[in-house]
Amino acid sequence: MLKGLTQDLKSADPAAWKRACLRAFHGVLLALCLPGLPLGGLYWLSKPAPYPLWAALGLAGLGLLLGLAALQLAGRSARDPRLNKQQAGLTSAMQLASAPAVPFLLGCAALHQPLAWGLLWVGAALLYAAARGRVGKSIS
């Protein structure tokens, strides 16, 4: 993955830069989300008390709100006039990865509460689709 990323970054072709942005996006997303499942599983094994319904809904809302904020901030990076198109695209792609990562990680912390983790992971999937659609847009 890193070899392909390096080759794409060295290219002057806009399609190669878009591929580099996608590789960076998925690499950062993986790095952010990878610790979530084992840590959430360990927390689940401790048998914590379930959340009340209002707390599960509030946690899901917080995850969605933070993910949307990450999308907004990544959009600002994509339009930063101090960066050229390639730098802005790569910076934005790496920041976009945090949008689905936030609700995913919150969902991992709520594995013991099916409603909370279900809502959070659905939110993470929706934010992934939104973020994935924005990757590389500033380069074209």
Side-chain angles (χ1 to χ4, degrees):
M1 182 176 157
L2 290 178
K3 185 177 181 179
L5 175 64
T6 305
Q7 289 172 346
D8 287 339
L9 288 173
K10 290 179 182 178
S11 175
D13 180 30
W17 269 91
K18 284 185 182 183
R19 281 193 310 272
C21 289
L22 279 172
R23 290 175 197 250
F25 170 77
H26 286 111
V28 170
L29 182 60
L30 180 65
L32 289 171
C33 292
L34 197 59
L37 286 175
L39 292 175
L42 287 174
Y43 181 59
W44 179 68
L45 288 174
S46 72
K47 301 195 186 329
Y51 304 143
L53 177 63
W54 63 267
L57 295 173
L59 188 60
L62 177 65
L64 185 62
L65 183 68
L66 292 173
L68 291 172
L71 286 177
Q72 177 70 22
L73 292 172
R76 284 186 188 172
S77 293
R79 295 183 304 274
D80 190 342
R82 297 171 292 174
L83 302 174
N84 66 39
K85 282 182 160 186
Q86 289 84 6
Q87 290 170 329
L90 193 59
T91 301
S92 175
M94 291 189 289
Q95 291 175 349
L96 282 167
S98 63
V102 170
F104 177 81
L105 290 170
L106 287 173
C108 290
L111 285 176
H112 64 286
Q113 182 75 24
L115 176 64
W117 71 256
L119 289 172
L120 284 160
W121 284 5
V122 165
L126 294 172
L127 286 166
Y128 170 82
R132 171 71 174 74
R134 293 181 182 193
V135 172
K137 290 288 184 188
S138 65
I139 296 172
S140 32

